[in-house]
Amino acid sequence: MIGEIRERIAARRLVPGVRIPSVRAFADTMGVSKSTVVEAYERLAAEGAVVARPGSGFYVAGKTRPLSLQAMGPRLDRIVDPLWITRQAQQAGSDQLKPGAGWLPDSWLPHEAIRRGLRRVARADLAEMTNYDRPLGYEPLRNQIARKVGEKGVGAEPDQIVLVESATQALDLVCRFLLQPGDTVLVDDPCYFNFLALLRAQRVAVVGVPMTPEGPDLRALAILLERHRPRFYLTNAALQNPTGASLAPNVAHRLLKLCEAHDTLIVEDEIFGDLEPEAAPRLAGFDGLERVIQIGSFSKTLSAAARCGWIALRADWVEPLVDLKLALSLGNGHVTAALVHTLISEGAYRRHLAETRRRIAGAMVQASAELRACGLEPWSQPRGGFFLWMRLPDGRDGADVARRALARGMVLAPGTSFSLSDAWNGYMRFNVAHCIDPRIRPILREALG
Protein backbone atom coordinates (compact mmCIF):
# COMPACT_ATOMS: atom_id res chain seq x y z
CA MET A 1 0.00 0.00 0.00
CA ILE A 2 2.83 2.39 0.86
CA GLY A 3 4.53 1.26 -2.32
CA GLU A 4 1.43 2.18 -4.35
CA ILE A 5 1.57 5.81 -3.15
CA ARG A 6 5.35 5.95 -3.72
CA GLU A 7 4.89 4.68 -7.28
CA ARG A 8 2.19 7.25 -8.02
CA ILE A 9 4.54 10.01 -6.83
CA ALA A 10 7.49 8.63 -8.84
CA ALA A 11 5.32 8.41 -11.97
CA ARG A 12 4.08 11.98 -11.34
CA ARG A 13 0.48 10.87 -11.13
CA LEU A 14 0.68 12.58 -7.75
CA VAL A 15 2.73 15.79 -7.64
CA PRO A 16 3.74 18.05 -4.71
CA GLY A 17 0.79 19.89 -3.19
CA VAL A 18 -1.79 17.42 -4.49
CA ARG A 19 -4.11 15.77 -1.98
CA ILE A 20 -3.74 12.00 -1.93
CA PRO A 21 -6.89 9.83 -1.70
CA SER A 22 -8.83 10.10 1.53
CA VAL A 23 -8.44 7.37 4.11
CA ARG A 24 -11.95 6.09 3.40
CA ALA A 25 -11.53 6.17 -0.41
CA PHE A 26 -8.15 4.45 -0.37
CA ALA A 27 -9.36 1.81 2.07
CA ASP A 28 -12.25 1.02 -0.29
CA THR A 29 -9.94 0.94 -3.32
CA MET A 30 -7.40 -1.36 -1.69
CA GLY A 31 -9.93 -3.49 0.18
CA VAL A 32 -8.37 -2.92 3.60
CA SER A 33 -9.43 -1.33 6.87
CA LYS A 34 -9.25 2.40 7.48
CA SER A 35 -6.84 1.85 10.34
CA THR A 36 -4.43 0.12 7.96
CA VAL A 37 -4.53 3.13 5.61
CA VAL A 38 -4.05 5.55 8.51
CA GLU A 39 -0.96 3.61 9.61
CA ALA A 40 0.42 3.66 6.03
CA TYR A 41 -0.18 7.41 5.67
CA GLU A 42 1.49 8.08 9.01
CA ARG A 43 4.55 6.12 7.88
CA LEU A 44 4.67 8.08 4.62
CA ALA A 45 4.44 11.30 6.62
CA ALA A 46 7.28 10.13 8.88
CA GLU A 47 9.56 9.60 5.89
CA GLY A 48 8.61 13.00 4.42
CA ALA A 49 6.74 11.74 1.38
CA VAL A 50 3.44 13.33 2.45
CA VAL A 51 2.32 15.94 4.96
CA ALA A 52 -0.81 15.94 7.08
CA ARG A 53 -3.05 19.00 7.15
CA PRO A 54 -5.47 18.77 10.07
CA GLY A 55 -9.06 18.78 8.95
CA SER A 56 -8.05 18.55 5.30
CA GLY A 57 -6.16 15.31 4.71
CA PHE A 58 -2.74 14.22 3.45
CA TYR A 59 -0.84 15.98 0.66
CA VAL A 60 2.24 15.11 -1.38
CA ALA A 61 5.24 16.84 0.15
CA GLY A 62 8.47 18.29 -1.20
CA LYS A 63 9.63 19.18 -4.67
CA THR A 64 8.78 17.41 -7.88
CA ARG A 65 10.98 14.37 -8.21
CA PRO A 66 12.97 13.59 -11.39
CA LEU A 67 10.99 11.86 -14.10
CA SER A 68 11.20 8.06 -14.01
CA LEU A 69 10.03 6.41 -17.24
CA GLN A 70 10.41 3.04 -15.58
CA ALA A 71 7.95 4.10 -12.87
CA MET A 72 5.51 5.51 -15.43
CA GLY A 73 5.34 2.32 -17.48
CA PRO A 74 4.23 -1.22 -16.65
CA ARG A 75 6.36 -3.20 -14.25
CA LEU A 76 8.76 -5.25 -16.35
CA ASP A 77 11.74 -7.42 -15.58
CA ARG A 78 14.72 -5.28 -16.59
CA ILE A 79 15.82 -8.05 -18.94
CA VAL A 80 12.72 -7.42 -21.07
CA ASP A 81 12.31 -3.70 -20.36
CA PRO A 82 12.73 -2.02 -23.77
CA LEU A 83 15.03 0.74 -22.55
CA TRP A 84 17.20 -1.86 -20.85
CA ILE A 85 17.34 -3.86 -24.09
CA THR A 86 18.47 -0.75 -25.95
CA ARG A 87 21.23 -0.16 -23.43
CA GLN A 88 22.40 -3.76 -23.63
CA ALA A 89 22.47 -3.77 -27.43
CA GLN A 90 24.35 -0.44 -27.57
CA GLN A 91 26.86 -1.43 -24.90
CA ALA A 92 27.43 -4.96 -26.21
CA GLY A 93 30.89 -5.78 -27.48
CA SER A 94 31.53 -6.77 -31.07
CA ASP A 95 31.57 -10.43 -30.05
CA GLN A 96 28.10 -10.38 -28.44
CA LEU A 97 25.22 -11.66 -30.52
CA LYS A 98 22.40 -9.14 -31.13
CA PRO A 99 19.60 -10.74 -33.20
CA GLY A 100 17.19 -8.46 -31.32
CA ALA A 101 18.93 -5.25 -32.45
CA GLY A 102 17.08 -2.62 -34.49
CA TRP A 103 19.92 -1.59 -36.80
CA LEU A 104 22.19 -2.97 -39.49
CA PRO A 105 25.46 -4.70 -38.58
CA ASP A 106 28.42 -2.36 -38.56
CA SER A 107 30.08 -4.34 -41.36
CA TRP A 108 27.13 -3.56 -43.66
CA LEU A 109 27.53 0.23 -43.43
CA PRO A 110 29.35 2.34 -46.08
CA HIS A 111 32.47 3.22 -44.09
CA GLU A 112 34.64 4.30 -47.01
CA ALA A 113 31.88 6.42 -48.54
CA ILE A 114 31.38 8.15 -45.17
CA ARG A 115 35.11 8.84 -44.89
CA ARG A 116 35.19 10.33 -48.39
CA GLY A 117 32.11 12.39 -47.61
CA LEU A 118 33.63 13.76 -44.41
CA ARG A 119 36.77 14.81 -46.28
CA ARG A 120 34.59 16.58 -48.85
CA VAL A 121 32.61 18.38 -46.13
CA ALA A 122 35.83 19.40 -44.37
CA ARG A 123 36.91 21.31 -47.48
CA ALA A 124 33.81 23.53 -47.33
CA ASP A 125 33.81 27.19 -46.35
CA LEU A 126 34.92 27.58 -42.73
CA ALA A 127 31.83 29.63 -41.81
CA GLU A 128 29.62 26.69 -42.76
CA MET A 129 31.62 24.44 -40.43
CA THR A 130 31.37 26.69 -37.39
CA ASN A 131 28.10 28.64 -37.51
CA TYR A 132 24.54 27.71 -36.72
CA ASP A 133 22.61 26.34 -39.69
CA ARG A 134 19.51 27.99 -41.16
CA PRO A 135 16.33 27.54 -39.04
CA LEU A 136 14.82 24.97 -41.43
CA GLY A 137 18.15 23.21 -41.86
CA TYR A 138 20.62 22.77 -44.73
CA GLU A 139 18.73 23.73 -47.88
CA PRO A 140 20.48 21.40 -50.37
CA LEU A 141 19.58 18.39 -48.21
CA ARG A 142 15.98 19.60 -47.83
CA ASN A 143 15.77 19.75 -51.62
CA GLN A 144 16.99 16.16 -51.83
CA ILE A 145 14.55 14.93 -49.20
CA ALA A 146 11.66 16.67 -50.97
CA ARG A 147 12.60 14.79 -54.16
CA LYS A 148 13.06 11.55 -52.25
CA VAL A 149 9.63 11.61 -50.59
CA GLY A 150 8.12 12.80 -53.88
CA GLU A 151 9.27 9.56 -55.50
CA LYS A 152 7.00 7.78 -53.00
CA GLY A 153 3.99 9.97 -53.80
CA VAL A 154 4.40 12.60 -51.06
CA GLY A 155 4.19 16.10 -52.53
CA ALA A 156 6.30 18.27 -50.24
CA GLU A 157 8.11 21.48 -51.12
CA PRO A 158 11.61 21.93 -49.65
CA ASP A 159 10.22 24.61 -47.32
CA GLN A 160 7.86 21.99 -45.88
CA ILE A 161 10.86 19.91 -44.77
CA VAL A 162 12.35 20.68 -41.33
CA LEU A 163 15.70 19.07 -40.51
CA VAL A 164 16.31 17.71 -37.01
CA GLU A 165 18.89 15.47 -35.34
CA SER A 166 17.01 12.17 -35.61
CA ALA A 167 13.60 10.57 -36.08
CA THR A 168 13.35 10.37 -32.29
CA GLN A 169 13.85 14.13 -31.99
CA ALA A 170 11.37 14.59 -34.82
CA LEU A 171 8.72 12.66 -32.91
CA ASP A 172 9.53 14.48 -29.69
CA LEU A 173 9.09 17.84 -31.43
CA VAL A 174 5.83 16.76 -33.05
CA CYS A 175 4.53 15.54 -29.68
CA ARG A 176 5.41 18.83 -28.00
CA PHE A 177 3.83 20.69 -30.92
CA LEU A 178 0.53 18.78 -30.91
CA LEU A 179 -0.06 17.33 -27.46
CA GLN A 180 -1.20 18.45 -24.05
CA PRO A 181 -0.77 16.30 -20.92
CA GLY A 182 -3.74 13.98 -20.65
CA ASP A 183 -4.33 13.71 -24.41
CA THR A 184 -4.69 10.27 -25.97
CA VAL A 185 -2.46 8.87 -28.72
CA LEU A 186 -3.08 5.68 -30.68
CA VAL A 187 -0.16 3.41 -31.60
CA ASP A 188 0.07 0.08 -33.34
CA ASP A 189 -0.05 -3.00 -31.14
CA PRO A 190 2.70 -4.14 -31.37
CA CYS A 191 4.78 -1.04 -32.09
CA TYR A 192 8.36 0.22 -31.79
CA PHE A 193 9.05 0.15 -28.07
CA ASN A 194 10.61 3.61 -27.92
CA PHE A 195 7.28 5.09 -29.08
CA LEU A 196 5.82 3.91 -25.77
CA ALA A 197 8.66 5.35 -23.70
CA LEU A 198 8.62 8.70 -25.50
CA LEU A 199 4.86 9.08 -25.22
CA ARG A 200 4.96 8.27 -21.51
CA ALA A 201 7.43 11.13 -21.13
CA GLN A 202 4.83 13.41 -22.75
CA ARG A 203 2.31 12.42 -20.02
CA VAL A 204 -0.34 11.26 -22.44
CA ALA A 205 -2.57 8.19 -22.50
CA VAL A 206 -1.41 5.57 -25.01
CA VAL A 207 -3.86 3.11 -26.57
CA GLY A 208 -2.89 0.23 -28.85
CA VAL A 209 -4.57 -0.63 -32.18
CA PRO A 210 -4.29 -4.35 -33.04
CA MET A 211 -2.12 -4.98 -36.09
CA THR A 212 -2.79 -7.30 -39.03
CA PRO A 213 -0.35 -8.22 -41.83
CA GLU A 214 -1.98 -5.52 -44.03
CA GLY A 215 -2.06 -2.75 -41.41
CA PRO A 216 -4.22 -1.87 -38.41
CA ASP A 217 -7.43 -3.73 -37.69
CA LEU A 218 -9.86 -1.18 -39.10
CA ARG A 219 -12.85 -2.37 -37.09
CA ALA A 220 -10.89 -2.02 -33.86
CA LEU A 221 -9.53 1.34 -35.03
CA ALA A 222 -13.04 2.70 -35.62
CA ILE A 223 -14.10 1.69 -32.11
CA LEU A 224 -11.00 3.21 -30.48
CA LEU A 225 -11.35 6.47 -32.41
CA GLU A 226 -14.95 6.80 -31.26
CA ARG A 227 -14.16 5.85 -27.67
CA HIS A 228 -10.97 7.86 -27.05
CA ARG A 229 -11.02 10.77 -29.52
CA PRO A 230 -7.21 10.64 -29.80
CA ARG A 231 -5.10 13.62 -30.86
CA PHE A 232 -3.13 11.54 -33.34
CA TYR A 233 -2.36 8.02 -34.49
CA LEU A 234 1.35 7.10 -34.71
CA THR A 235 2.22 4.38 -37.21
CA ASN A 236 4.64 3.03 -39.84
CA ALA A 237 3.05 2.76 -43.27
CA ALA A 238 6.07 0.89 -44.65
CA LEU A 239 7.95 -2.00 -43.00
CA GLN A 240 6.32 -1.56 -39.62
CA ASN A 241 8.49 -2.07 -36.57
CA PRO A 242 8.45 -4.80 -35.24
CA THR A 243 6.30 -6.84 -37.64
CA GLY A 244 7.69 -5.77 -41.00
CA ALA A 245 4.13 -5.29 -42.33
CA SER A 246 3.27 -2.65 -44.94
CA LEU A 247 -0.07 -0.96 -45.53
CA ALA A 248 -2.32 -2.35 -48.23
CA PRO A 249 -3.80 0.43 -50.45
CA ASN A 250 -7.41 -0.25 -49.40
CA VAL A 251 -6.42 -0.21 -45.72
CA ALA A 252 -4.53 3.07 -46.15
CA HIS A 253 -7.53 4.73 -47.80
CA ARG A 254 -10.00 3.55 -45.17
CA LEU A 255 -7.62 4.48 -42.33
CA LEU A 256 -7.41 8.06 -43.58
CA LYS A 257 -11.19 8.32 -43.86
CA LEU A 258 -11.72 7.03 -40.32
CA CYS A 259 -9.18 9.42 -38.82
CA GLU A 260 -10.61 12.36 -40.73
CA ALA A 261 -14.12 11.56 -39.52
CA HIS A 262 -12.92 11.65 -35.91
CA ASP A 263 -10.64 14.71 -36.33
CA THR A 264 -7.57 12.60 -35.56
CA LEU A 265 -4.20 13.48 -37.07
CA ILE A 266 -1.67 10.88 -38.24
CA VAL A 267 2.07 10.83 -37.63
CA GLU A 268 3.73 8.53 -40.15
CA ASP A 269 7.20 7.19 -39.30
CA GLU A 270 9.10 6.62 -42.56
CA ILE A 271 12.40 5.55 -41.03
CA PHE A 272 12.59 2.15 -42.80
CA GLY A 273 11.01 3.25 -46.07
CA ASP A 274 14.25 3.36 -48.07
CA LEU A 275 14.71 -0.38 -47.50
CA GLU A 276 11.58 -1.28 -49.49
CA PRO A 277 12.20 -2.90 -52.89
CA GLU A 278 8.96 -1.27 -54.10
CA ALA A 279 7.18 1.54 -52.28
CA ALA A 280 3.96 0.74 -50.42
CA PRO A 281 1.26 3.46 -50.16
CA ARG A 282 2.25 6.40 -48.00
CA LEU A 283 -0.47 8.01 -45.91
CA ALA A 284 1.18 11.39 -46.38
CA GLY A 285 0.96 10.86 -50.15
CA PHE A 286 -2.75 10.06 -50.18
CA ASP A 287 -3.44 12.92 -47.76
CA GLY A 288 -1.20 15.59 -49.28
CA LEU A 289 0.23 16.46 -45.83
CA GLU A 290 -3.05 18.03 -44.74
CA ARG A 291 -3.70 15.77 -41.75
CA VAL A 292 -0.56 13.62 -41.88
CA ILE A 293 2.90 14.56 -40.63
CA GLN A 294 5.72 12.38 -41.91
CA ILE A 295 9.01 11.90 -40.06
CA GLY A 296 12.16 10.02 -40.99
CA SER A 297 15.93 9.81 -40.70
CA PHE A 298 19.03 8.15 -42.12
CA SER A 299 20.02 6.40 -38.89
CA LYS A 300 18.79 2.94 -39.92
CA THR A 301 20.17 3.03 -43.45
CA LEU A 302 23.35 5.11 -43.35
CA SER A 303 24.80 5.53 -39.87
CA ALA A 304 23.45 5.78 -36.34
CA ALA A 305 26.37 8.10 -35.54
CA ALA A 306 25.42 10.55 -38.29
CA ARG A 307 22.31 11.87 -36.60
CA CYS A 308 20.12 13.46 -39.23
CA GLY A 309 16.32 13.37 -39.38
CA TRP A 310 13.48 15.34 -40.91
CA ILE A 311 9.82 16.31 -40.58
CA ALA A 312 7.50 16.91 -43.55
CA LEU A 313 4.32 18.81 -42.70
CA ARG A 314 1.74 21.27 -43.98
CA ALA A 315 3.06 24.72 -44.87
CA ASP A 316 1.19 26.74 -42.22
CA TRP A 317 2.61 24.55 -39.41
CA VAL A 318 6.25 24.97 -40.43
CA GLU A 319 6.96 28.33 -38.77
CA PRO A 320 5.55 27.47 -35.31
CA LEU A 321 7.28 24.08 -35.39
CA VAL A 322 10.60 25.72 -36.28
CA ASP A 323 10.10 28.18 -33.42
CA LEU A 324 9.74 25.21 -31.08
CA LYS A 325 12.80 23.52 -32.58
CA LEU A 326 14.89 26.66 -32.04
CA ALA A 327 13.62 27.05 -28.48
CA LEU A 328 14.73 23.50 -27.65
CA SER A 329 17.97 23.14 -29.60
CA LEU A 330 18.86 26.36 -31.49
CA GLY A 331 19.08 24.26 -34.63
CA ASN A 332 20.50 21.00 -35.96
CA GLY A 333 23.95 19.79 -36.96
CA HIS A 334 25.12 21.32 -40.22
CA VAL A 335 28.12 19.00 -40.62
CA THR A 336 25.99 15.86 -40.51
CA ALA A 337 23.40 17.34 -42.88
CA ALA A 338 26.16 18.31 -45.30
CA LEU A 339 27.62 14.80 -45.08
CA VAL A 340 24.27 13.17 -45.89
CA HIS A 341 23.78 15.61 -48.77
CA THR A 342 27.21 14.70 -50.15
CA LEU A 343 26.54 10.95 -49.97
CA ILE A 344 23.20 11.35 -51.74
CA SER A 345 24.41 13.77 -54.42
CA GLU A 346 27.46 11.68 -55.32
CA GLY A 347 25.40 8.49 -55.62
CA ALA A 348 26.99 6.67 -52.68
CA TYR A 349 23.70 6.46 -50.78
CA ARG A 350 21.83 5.02 -53.77
CA ARG A 351 24.51 2.37 -54.35
CA HIS A 352 24.60 1.52 -50.65
CA LEU A 353 20.81 1.07 -50.54
CA ALA A 354 20.85 -1.22 -53.58
CA GLU A 355 23.55 -3.39 -52.04
CA THR A 356 21.84 -3.39 -48.64
CA ARG A 357 18.49 -4.49 -50.11
CA ARG A 358 20.27 -7.31 -51.94
CA ARG A 359 22.02 -8.49 -48.77
CA ILE A 360 18.82 -8.23 -46.71
CA ALA A 361 16.93 -10.36 -49.25
CA GLY A 362 19.52 -13.10 -48.91
CA ALA A 363 19.61 -12.83 -45.13
CA MET A 364 15.79 -13.00 -45.01
CA VAL A 365 15.79 -16.37 -46.76
CA GLN A 366 18.58 -17.76 -44.61
CA ALA A 367 17.26 -16.41 -41.29
CA SER A 368 13.72 -17.61 -42.02
CA ALA A 369 15.00 -21.12 -42.59
CA GLU A 370 17.17 -21.05 -39.45
CA LEU A 371 14.36 -19.78 -37.24
CA ARG A 372 11.85 -22.24 -38.65
CA ALA A 373 14.31 -25.01 -37.89
CA CYS A 374 14.18 -23.88 -34.24
CA GLY A 375 10.38 -24.22 -34.24
CA LEU A 376 9.45 -20.54 -34.79
CA GLU A 377 6.85 -19.44 -37.33
CA PRO A 378 6.60 -16.05 -39.09
CA TRP A 379 3.54 -13.91 -38.39
CA SER A 380 3.75 -12.60 -41.96
CA GLN A 381 6.23 -12.41 -44.82
CA PRO A 382 7.59 -8.83 -45.05
CA ARG A 383 8.06 -7.26 -48.48
CA GLY A 384 11.42 -5.88 -47.41
CA GLY A 385 13.34 -4.56 -44.44
CA PHE A 386 15.26 -6.57 -41.91
CA PHE A 387 12.63 -7.54 -39.31
CA LEU A 388 10.87 -10.87 -38.86
CA TRP A 389 8.07 -11.10 -36.27
CA MET A 390 8.11 -14.73 -35.17
CA ARG A 391 5.77 -16.84 -33.05
CA LEU A 392 7.60 -18.96 -30.48
CA PRO A 393 6.86 -22.70 -30.36
CA ASP A 394 4.50 -24.39 -27.91
CA GLY A 395 3.26 -21.21 -26.25
CA ARG A 396 6.67 -20.29 -24.84
CA ASP A 397 6.96 -16.87 -23.19
CA GLY A 398 9.30 -14.45 -24.97
CA ALA A 399 10.52 -12.87 -21.73
CA ASP A 400 11.66 -16.23 -20.38
CA VAL A 401 13.43 -17.06 -23.64
CA ALA A 402 15.14 -13.63 -23.66
CA ARG A 403 16.29 -14.13 -20.08
CA ARG A 404 17.89 -17.49 -20.85
CA ALA A 405 19.47 -16.16 -24.05
CA LEU A 406 21.01 -13.20 -22.25
CA ALA A 407 22.69 -15.57 -19.79
CA ARG A 408 24.35 -17.11 -22.86
CA GLY A 409 25.53 -13.78 -24.28
CA MET A 410 22.74 -13.08 -26.78
CA VAL A 411 20.37 -10.07 -26.76
CA LEU A 412 16.83 -10.80 -27.98
CA ALA A 413 13.75 -8.59 -28.36
CA PRO A 414 10.67 -10.29 -26.84
CA GLY A 415 7.14 -9.32 -27.84
CA THR A 416 6.35 -8.00 -24.36
CA SER A 417 8.61 -5.02 -25.04
CA PHE A 418 6.58 -3.90 -28.06
CA SER A 419 3.07 -4.09 -26.67
CA LEU A 420 0.71 -2.49 -24.19
CA SER A 421 -1.18 -5.79 -23.92
CA ASP A 422 -0.35 -9.43 -23.25
CA ALA A 423 -1.35 -10.46 -26.77
CA TRP A 424 2.23 -10.72 -28.07
CA ASN A 425 4.07 -12.41 -25.20
CA GLY A 426 4.64 -15.47 -27.36
CA TYR A 427 6.35 -13.52 -30.15
CA MET A 428 9.81 -12.13 -30.77
CA ARG A 429 11.39 -9.66 -33.20
CA PHE A 430 14.45 -10.85 -35.12
CA ASN A 431 16.79 -8.75 -37.24
CA VAL A 432 17.71 -11.01 -40.16
CA ALA A 433 20.92 -9.07 -40.84
CA HIS A 434 22.16 -10.17 -37.41
CA CYS A 435 20.69 -13.69 -37.60
CA ILE A 436 23.07 -15.21 -40.16
CA ASP A 437 25.80 -15.74 -37.56
CA PRO A 438 26.13 -19.56 -37.15
CA ARG A 439 26.42 -19.19 -33.37
CA ILE A 440 22.83 -18.00 -33.02
CA ARG A 441 20.94 -21.20 -33.82
CA PRO A 442 22.44 -23.40 -31.03
CA ILE A 443 22.07 -20.67 -28.41
CA LEU A 444 18.47 -20.02 -29.45
CA ARG A 445 17.69 -23.76 -29.23
CA GLU A 446 19.11 -23.81 -25.68
CA ALA A 447 17.13 -20.71 -24.70
CA LEU A 448 13.93 -22.28 -26.05
CA GLY A 449 14.58 -25.28 -23.81
Side-chain angles (χ1 to χ4, degrees), residues 12 88 111 132 159 184 202 234 273 324 341 379 424:
R12 295 187 182 177
Q88 291 302 303
H111 300 282
Y132 287 111
D159 286 348
T184 297
Q202 301 292 335
L234 173 60
L324 180 60
H341 167 258
W379 179 74
W424 303 99

Side-chain angles (χ1 to χ4, degrees), residues 316-340:
D316 59 316
W317 283 356
V318 170
E319 184 175 352
L321 182 77
V322 170
D323 285 348
L324 180 60
K325 167 189 162 180
L326 296 177
L328 294 171
S329 65
L330 289 179
N332 55 278
H334 169 81
V335 173
T336 301
L339 170 62
V340 174

Side-chain angles (χ1 to χ4, degrees), residues 9 12 14-16 60-67 203:
I9 294 172
R12 295 187 182 177
L14 293 173
V15 297
V60 178
K63 298 179 179 179
T64 301
R65 299 184 181 186
L67 176 66
R203 296 163 178 77

